[in-house]
Amino acid sequence: MEKRLEEFYKQEKERDEEQKRVLQKSYDRIAWLRLVVFLGAVILIWLGLTSRPGKELYLIGGILCFIGFLVLIRIHDGIEKKQRLLAAREAVVDAYPARFGTEWREFPDDGSKYLKKDDLVARDLDLLGPGSLYQMISICQSAYGKWRLADVLLDPYSVSGERKERQEAVLELSEKPEFLMNYESVVRQAFVTGRKHPVRDDEKTKAGNTYKPGRIKFRGWMGLMMAFVPLMNIAVIVGILIGMIQPAWILLSFLAGYCITAGCKGRLEQETKGIFSSEMTSGQVYPIFKTIQEEEFTSARLKSIRDRVVGNDGMMAAQKKLSHLADLKNLDYNPVVGMLLTGFAGWDFFLAFMAARWDRMHGEAFAGSFDIIAELEELGSLAVLSIVRPTCIPELDENEKGIRFKELAHPLLDPETVIANDGDLESPLTILTGSNMSGKTTFLRTVAINLVLSYIGAGVVAEEFCSGYRKLFTSMRVQDDVAGGISTFYAEILRIKEMAEYIRKGGAAPALCLIDEIFKGTNSADRIVGAEEALKRLSVDGSMVIVSTHDFELCSLKQANGDPAENKHFEESYEDDKLVFDYKMKDGPCTTRNAKALLTLAGLMESEVAADSVN
């Protein structure tokens, strides 16, 4: 499957390269033709405005050439749009092969800006930040899409009621890699660097859909100026043609029209704010909705999204008209054309008029566009995992007391070298022992990150996976806080206290507490006594605790009800005086140690004591 997909992306890249060469040739030809036609228009209009026989024909020819020049600009812009889309597509195609290995760690967007100090689980599990799940799977280009994906990873319980529906949508999208690639490409083209992202009214740190119809106003004085500027120039041209005034008057009327329009530009932009001020209203959104319209879906969630786009509410029509309006606005970006349109036609008045008319006719249908794009970005990102990793549909059963899995692997590790595990964790308390670097911590993170994926409707990296629905707590990357006067040991106490408080108060779902090297910040005697008491308090009322430790004394720990804790372990072997790890979880407590061997390998202990580490 992976090799087939890699070949698919390779073929797509080759096809795009060929199309890129074809478009560049067309772009260059139109550029030269546009220049020739423009020069012809200037010469003919100049001849038509001077006193010579047949000047009317020269003027008409010049006007026709100028119209042809505007048509060529549109054609040229169309080719440039295709080039930008192709450049966006090239970046998308390159990203997928990177996800099959570990090169995705170089992706610039890792979601770090969404992490807060108290997002402890997300930090422990690498849900966001450098080397994170977000960094690997995100196809989001819009600010709202990025926030939305980050938000669901930080709070996977927020979508519990719609998990099944999301699961069906994610599964369907994972079977449509070409659609995902095309969708990301058009969104990437639309949400270009430098455009202003809308900001939610309720929270300034979160982007959102702020467009509200009916806010764009076209005042009466604007209508008067819209008529006055072009009529003034037409009157001057007619006067020149019939010999009433000298040709030099056309320059004066042009300057007057330019000053009037440019002088009102700030006020006009203020009135049309919301149409030309962000990427959502740049006219680039129409290709996004066109891509959705052209795809057929079967899952309820995706069908609902498509229905909102192509239904009778006029969203596609609104986007198409807005796209045309944006094309007209883009004429301003050519300095020569923009100056001529401003001085001769009062172009900004026409744009304001058309913006207000669009707002009145299509504004209601447009509202909500941003949410649709972001939702599909989020679901598409979750689907990416099932494209680049072997996944299964997880089972979440409220009656399931434990966690059962087969070939469970960590999604962020290299699939060529990652070791998968089978397991059936049923006990309320599992003690996980093993030598240094044997895989205990990675296993804890593997269980937890796959649980998060199962909660939000994504596939999990396993052959089979079944679990009850649990509130996830972690204590792994515990750090001190010098400024706050909190040591590592006390920081861990606070985390475990949070777990105990949740269990004592009877949270909405049973807790799953994953603790790595419990109380490692204190001496062994206090650690063992403290761990025994803490673990008994956590493994009650249907909650589960999986704790890793080097303290073999905890292997004989009993739960609060008197039943013994379940023991699992990881171990190492020695080949040619080298440590070898199989990273496989096994039943029972660990019987090996490797600390002395590691110190010997590092040159910090004499080699003759290495044998002591074997038993």
Side-chain angles (χ1 to χ4, degrees), residues 73 76 190 233 271 291 306 352 436 457 500 516 520 573:
I73 286 179
H76 206 237
N233 284 289
E271 292 291 348
T291 304
R306 187 178 182 278
N436 297 289
D516 186 37
K520 54 184 171 289
S573 60

Side-chain angles (χ1 to χ4, degrees), residues 514-532:
L514 302 173
I515 305 173
D516 186 37
E517 303 292 350
I518 188 168
F519 295 146
K520 54 184 171 289
T522 191
N523 63 78
S524 59
D526 288 345
R527 179 167 60 246
I528 293 169
V529 173
E532 288 179 347

Side-chain angles (χ1 to χ4, degrees), residues 215-230:
R215 288 187 175 181
I216 298 175
K217 305 297 182 184
F218 188 74
R219 312 293 180 180
W221 65 269
M222 298 177 187
L224 289 175
M225 292 297 101
M226 183 179 72
F228 174 74
V229 173

Side-chain angles (χ1 to χ4, degrees), residues 122 216 322 327:
I216 298 175
L322 184 60
D327 287 340

